[in-house]
Amino acid sequence: AQTVTQSQPEMSVQEAETVTLSCTYDTSENNYYLFWYKQPPSRQMILVIRQEAYKQQNATENRFSVNFQKAAKSFSLKISDSQLGDTAMYFCAYYGGSQGNLIFGKGTKLSVKP
Amino acid sequence: NAGVMQNPRHLVRRRGQEARLRCSPMKGHSHVYWYRQLPEEGLKFMVYLQKENIIDESGMPKERFSAEFPKEGPSILRIQQVVRGDSAAYFCASSSGLGFYEQYFGPGTRLTVT
């Protein structure tokens, strides 16, 4: 069975600095997708970034980028120039072709300090 | 273009009552997923439905929980005889037939059982 592990329950970063959130996963599939979702205090789940496993190039969305290491089954999220509005829970998620649902990690609570 | 709608946003039920949670997918989406988020946890898959069909209910508790997605109207997650352990946030997500992996989430329903 596929699993997603986020080993950092909580992290903090100073405003304007860079922070990296870790995620590892386990799968025997070759084609899959990985996601980072942000959940602010409003609890709305917001898609931050997506990575297709068949693409070697790391995905980037403005201040958010990933370091995708397929062989190591690692998928970390880097947030550059952190802003107060980045304070939220961040969830790593996996989607494989053999099932229709997303599999989530337990989340990392990120606090951005002024 | 409205996103995924869920109602109610907050629901309080006494032990033994029934809870009905509604989800209207994004326009053009015919696939609906229900997830449950317990306090301090990530989202856990419950059930995957298409119009008039349950595709995968492997994450649903065997008793008291049911889901439907009729030809007309929203998807309904129904919890009979609620217990305190059912208190959680319940999220609905939808996707189109193209790009199953991209799921868009509603704002969630916070169920509190007293």
Side-chain angles (χ1 to χ4, degrees), chain A residues 36 49 58-67 76-80:
Chain A
W36 280 98
I49 200 165
N58 289 324
T60 299
E61 289 286 343
N62 301 315
R63 298 183 294 107
F64 298 87
S65 61
V66 298
N67 183 4
S76 60
L77 175 70
K78 185 171 85 171
I79 306 174
S80 304

Side-chain angles (χ1 to χ4, degrees), chain A residues 14-105:
Chain A
Q14 290 295 131
E15 194 175 8
E17 293 188 346
T18 295
V19 64
T20 299
L21 309 184
S22 301
C23 173
T24 58
Y25 59 94
D26 190 23
T27 184
S28 57
E29 301 194 3
N30 195 43
N31 295 319
Y32 50 88
Y33 299 83
L34 296 163
F35 306 86
W36 280 98
Y37 280 89
K38 171 184 177 181
Q39 187 179 45
S42 67
R43 301 191 78 88
Q44 174 75 52
M45 293 291 287
I46 302 166
L47 178 62
V48 174
I49 200 165
R50 177 185 80 226
Q51 175 79 41
E52 292 91 342
Y54 63 86
K55 289 187 177 178
Q56 292 187 334
Q57 187 172 7
N58 289 324
T60 299
E61 289 286 343
N62 301 315
R63 298 183 294 107
F64 298 87
S65 61
V66 298
N67 183 4
F68 174 48
Q69 302 288 328
K70 189 173 183 180
K73 296 180 181 173
S74 170
F75 182 61
S76 60
L77 175 70
K78 185 171 85 171
I79 306 174
S80 304
D81 186 25
S82 297
Q83 300 175 0
L84 296 177
D86 296 333
T87 293
M89 285 291 292
Y90 286 82
F91 292 98
C92 179
Y94 166 98
Y95 176 90
S98 61
Q99 92 282 339
N101 56 286
L102 292 164
I103 299 170
F104 286 87

Side-chain angles (χ1 to χ4, degrees), chain A residues 33 35 37 39 41-47 50 52 89 91 95 99-107, chain B residues 9 33 35 37-38 40-45 48 56 58 89 91 100-107 110:
Chain A
Y33 299 83
F35 306 86
Y37 280 89
Q39 187 179 45
S42 67
R43 301 191 78 88
Q44 174 75 52
M45 293 291 287
I46 302 166
L47 178 62
R50 177 185 80 226
E52 292 91 342
M89 285 291 292
F91 292 98
Y95 176 90
Q99 92 282 339
N101 56 286
L102 292 164
I103 299 170
F104 286 87
K106 289 194 171 185
Chain B
R9 293 292 308 275
Y33 312 80
Y35 295 85
Q37 184 178 31
L38 295 170
E40 310 301 321
E41 294 281 327
L43 279 70
K44 294 282 176 64
F45 167 73
Y48 166 31
D56 180 0
S58 59
F91 288 90
F100 289 88
Y101 54 83
E102 195 132 323
Q103 297 182 15
Y104 296 86
F105 282 82
R110 178 84 68 97

Side-chain angles (χ1 to χ4, degrees), chain B residues 4 14 31 37 55 61 68 73 83 89 94 113:
Chain B
V4 179
R14 290 200 179 102
H31 301 250
Q37 184 178 31
I55 306 302
E68 62 177 8
V83 300
S94 73
V113 179

